[in-house]
Amino acid sequence: MKNLMLKVGTFFFKYRNQAFPLIIVALFVAAPPTVSIFGSTELERWKDVVALVVILSGLVLRATVIGYAYIKRGGLNKRVYAKDLVTEGMFGVCRNPLYVGNMLVYSGLFLFHGNPLVVVVGCLVFAFIYQSIIYAEEEFLADKFGQGYRDYCRNVPRWGLKLSAFASSTEGMAFNWKRVIAKDYSTMSSTLIAVVATEFYRLAADSITEQEISYAVVLGALLVAVLAFTGLTSSLKKLGVFDDMTTAH
C-alpha cells in the first residue's frame, strides 16, 4: 500500500497545481450545495459559520508558517527536493504545517458546500493525497538528512501541532508579513473566490428571487474586489515592492 502511495504522492507533488482545482470543481459540479440541514436554514447558517472558521484557521496557519520560515514546496523541477532541513518556525511545531493548513482550508470549503457526498469524498481524497505526498517527501528527507531527520521526526508530529514548542521554535525570529502577502496572496484569493462562487451557486441553484438580487450584487462586488486585490498584489510584486523580504528562514 505504501509503495502505491509513494507513486501517488510523487505524481500529485508534480501536478497538484493542475489536479487539485479540477478535483474540487468536479466535486462541486457533481452535487449542488445544500440550502438547509434537515429542513432548517438556521442550522445551515451555523454550519457555514463553522466552515468559514475552519477555512480562516487554515489561512492563518499558512500565514504563520510562511511569516516565520518559508520552504519552497515546489521542489526542484517539480520533484521532491530540499536543500536544508528546516526545523525552526512552525516546522518546530509540526513537520507539515502548510499541509495541515491546506487540509483545513479544503475541509472548510467542502463543509461550506455542505453536500454530504462532497464533504466525505473531498476530505478523504485530499487526506489520502496529502499523506501520499508526505510519504514521498519523508523518503527523500530520510535519505538525504539521515539521523538528523529521524531525530526531528521523533520530536515533532507529522500532522499534529505541538504548540508548546512554538515559543522556542520562533525565538529570535521576526514575522515577515511581506513574505506572507507575496507568497500566499494567490491562495487567499482563490479561497475567497471559491467561497463566493459556492454561495452564488447556492443562490442561483433554482432562480434568484427579487429579495435575493441585492445579495447577488454584493457577491458580485466582492468577487470583483478579490480579483482587483489579486491583480494589484501581483503588479506590486512585479514592481519589486516585496523585494526586501527574505526568501529563506
Side-chain angles (χ1 to χ4, degrees):
M1 181 65 175
K2 189 169 182 178
N3 288 334
L4 171 62
M5 293 181 73
L6 285 171
K7 292 178 181 178
V8 171
T10 300
F11 173 83
F12 278 102
F13 185 91
K14 184 175 183 179
Y15 295 110
R16 56 187 164 178
N17 289 340
Q18 296 80 20
F20 284 9
L22 290 176
I23 294 173
I24 292 172
V25 169
L27 284 170
F28 279 31
V29 169
T34 56
V35 295
S36 66
I37 297 177
F38 302 122
S40 171
T41 55
E42 184 68 20
L43 282 177
E44 177 71 22
R45 282 195 290 270
W46 277 108
K47 181 269 294 178
D48 287 346
V49 169
V50 172
L52 292 174
V53 169
V54 173
I55 292 170
L56 181 60
S57 66
L59 293 176
V60 169
L61 177 56
R62 283 185 56 87
T64 305
V65 176
I66 296 169
Y68 280 111
Y70 178 71
I71 285 182
K72 185 178 180 182
R73 283 294 184 179
L76 182 66
N77 298 322
K78 294 188 177 182
R79 293 181 179 274
V80 176
Y81 177 80
K83 182 180 178 181
D84 303 301
L85 179 61
V86 179
T87 60
E88 61 263 42
M90 285 300 292
F91 293 95
V93 175
C94 174
R95 287 174 5 224
N96 303 283
L98 284 174
Y99 293 162
V100 174
N102 290 349
M103 276 302 304
L104 287 170
V105 170
Y106 289 133
S107 298
L109 287 175
F110 296 140
L111 182 60
F112 188 76
H113 182 284
N115 187 283
L117 174 68
V118 172
V119 176
V120 174
V121 174
C123 290
L124 289 177
V125 166
F126 275 85
F128 176 79
I129 291 174
Y130 271 118
Q131 183 61 63
S132 299
I133 291 174
I134 287 171
Y135 278 157
E137 291 183 340
E138 288 178 343
E139 184 176 73
F140 172 88
L141 294 170
D143 182 63
K144 181 167 184 176
F145 298 109
Q147 189 59 44
Y149 180 68
R150 287 189 285 274
D151 291 341
Y152 171 61
C153 289
R154 277 196 294 269
N155 294 322
V156 181
R158 176 189 282 152
W159 281 103
L161 299 176
K162 188 180 177 182
L163 296 178
S164 60
F166 178 78
S168 59
S169 297
T170 58
E171 185 177 1
M173 302 179 72
F175 186 84
N176 192 327
W177 64 269
K178 284 190 175 183
R179 182 166 61 217
V180 173
I181 296 174
K183 295 295 184 181
D184 220 32
Y185 77 92
S186 59
T187 298
M188 298 175 193
S189 298
S190 59
T191 301
L192 285 171
I193 289 171
V195 169
V196 173
T198 302
E199 185 66 3
F200 191 84
Y201 183 12
R202 177 183 293 150
L203 192 65
D206 295 320
S207 59
I208 300 177
T209 64
E210 290 185 8
Q211 292 81 5
E212 294 171 331
I213 290 177
S214 58
Y215 184 44
V217 171
V218 170
L219 290 175
L222 183 56
L223 179 60
V224 171
V226 172
L227 293 175
F229 164 78
T230 305
L232 176 62
T233 306
S234 178
S235 298
L236 291 175
K237 186 176 179 179
K238 290 177 182 177
L239 290 172
V241 172
F242 305 108
D243 283 354
D244 64 329
M245 69 182 185
T246 55
T247 55
H249 49 284

